[in-house]
Amino acid sequence: AIWMTQSPSLLSASTGDRVTISCRMSQGISSYLAWYQQKPGKAPELLIYAASTLQSGVPSRFSGSGSGTDFTLTISCLQSEDFATYYCQQYYSFPRTFGQGTKVEIK
Amino acid sequence: QVQLQESGPGLVKPSETLSLTCTVSGYSISSGYYWGWIRQPPGKGLEWIGSIYHSGSTYYNPSLKSRVTISVDTSKNQFSLKLSSVTAADTAVYYCARDSDPIVPAALFDPWGQGTLVTVSS
């Protein structure tokens, strides 16, 4: 299985901040990486796929980059509704695996 | 728009079989895409369990494969999960989801059901 390491696990930030979350893979996965946002008590929602393609309806302040083993999710100007937990997920090989999550909390 | 809804017992005894059904509305399972199950233990991360195509083709997580069966009933527009010999470690919120990638099987999960908490306890 491909393992991923997300960092940081917890990120304290303020509204308006630029934040970045990292996802490092145990082996190369080309661009077969997705990012999800999960709010408390809710199901995850797909934000980005193919490492950098925004899912329809996702605000442009979200962006993704990277390929191979190192990937980044960036929120350019944090809004109140962005405080949530973010997960990366690889779909290069089976089993599909998720990162352990990064909680973005209010500073 | 596609909507998914999980249903099934919220409490299962250890060693018994967990059974959940996902009912899909707004889209015919027979029209395509893979359909999957993902779980999340309380306060923890996400684990992919497995996915199924309308033809019955399946992919399973090897860590659960010996205990998991996913099936599909196109006539009811539903797919189901059975997990046998459960223990407390199987306590989790179980989500069903549609795969949104038309090419790569069981790749991307969107949308998701609201999730259902299943507790394994005597």
Side-chain angles (χ1 to χ4, degrees):
Chain A
I2 296 176
W3 300 104
M4 42 256 283
T5 303
Q6 264 186 258
S7 60
S9 298
L10 177 64
L11 194 160
S12 298
S14 302
T15 302
D17 285 353
R18 178 185 180 90
V19 301
T20 60
I21 299 169
S22 171
C23 186
R24 176 164 288 180
M25 318 305 298
S26 61
Q27 66 185 77
I29 63 166
S30 184
S31 296
Y32 292 95
L33 187 96
W35 291 95
Y36 296 82
Q37 177 193 66
Q38 185 178 33
K39 296 181 179 179
K42 300 293 187 181
E45 294 186 356
L46 178 64
L47 293 177
I48 288 171
Y49 60 95
S52 62
T53 302
L54 248 58
Q55 177 71 336
S56 175
V58 174
S60 59
R61 63 181 179 272
F62 290 91
S63 64
S65 64
S67 67
T69 59
D70 291 317
F71 299 86
T72 300
L73 171 69
T74 299
I75 310 173
S76 60
C77 183
L78 202 62
Q79 301 298 300
S80 58
E81 59 267 31
D82 301 335
F83 291 98
T85 300
Y86 294 85
Y87 294 92
C88 56
Q89 178 234 324
Q90 66 81 21
Y91 52 103
Y92 178 79
S93 68
F94 288 99
R96 306 315 191 197
T97 47
F98 293 85
Q100 77 273 25
T102 294
K103 183 177 181 179
V104 178
E105 66 169 21
I106 300 173
K107 191 173 186 179
Chain B
Q1 96 219 37
V2 185
Q3 292 185 311
L4 300 91
Q5 178 68 58
E6 305 89 350
S7 60
L11 181 64
V12 181
K13 290 182 169 56
S15 80
E16 295 190 345
T17 296
L18 178 160
S19 296
L20 295 173
T21 296
C22 183
T23 300
V24 179
S25 58
Y27 189 87
S28 172
I29 285 180
S30 299
S31 294
Y33 291 108
Y34 272 78
W35 303 82
W37 290 95
I38 302 103
R39 70 179 183 178
Q40 184 172 37
K44 296 188 178 181
L46 300 161
E47 180 180 33
W48 173 72
I49 299 170
S51 298
I52 190 165
Y53 198 59
H54 65 79
S55 63
S57 172
T58 54
Y59 291 93
Y60 293 134
N61 191 322
S63 69
L64 298 168
K65 187 174 183 177
S66 63
R67 299 194 291 131
V68 170
T69 302
I70 297 176
S71 58
V72 63
D73 186 337
T74 55
S75 67
K76 295 181 179 179
N77 219 35
Q78 295 175 333
F79 61 105
S80 298
L81 168 70
K82 291 188 185 299
L83 180 65
S84 63
S85 305
V86 297
T87 69
D90 295 309
T91 293
V93 175
Y94 285 77
Y95 295 100
C96 59
R98 189 188 75 171
D99 178 15
S100 67
D101 192 310
I103 299 174
V104 181
L108 302 170
F109 306 106
D110 179 70
W112 298 53
Q114 65 184 23
T116 186
L117 175 62
V118 179
T119 301
V120 179
S121 175
S122 56

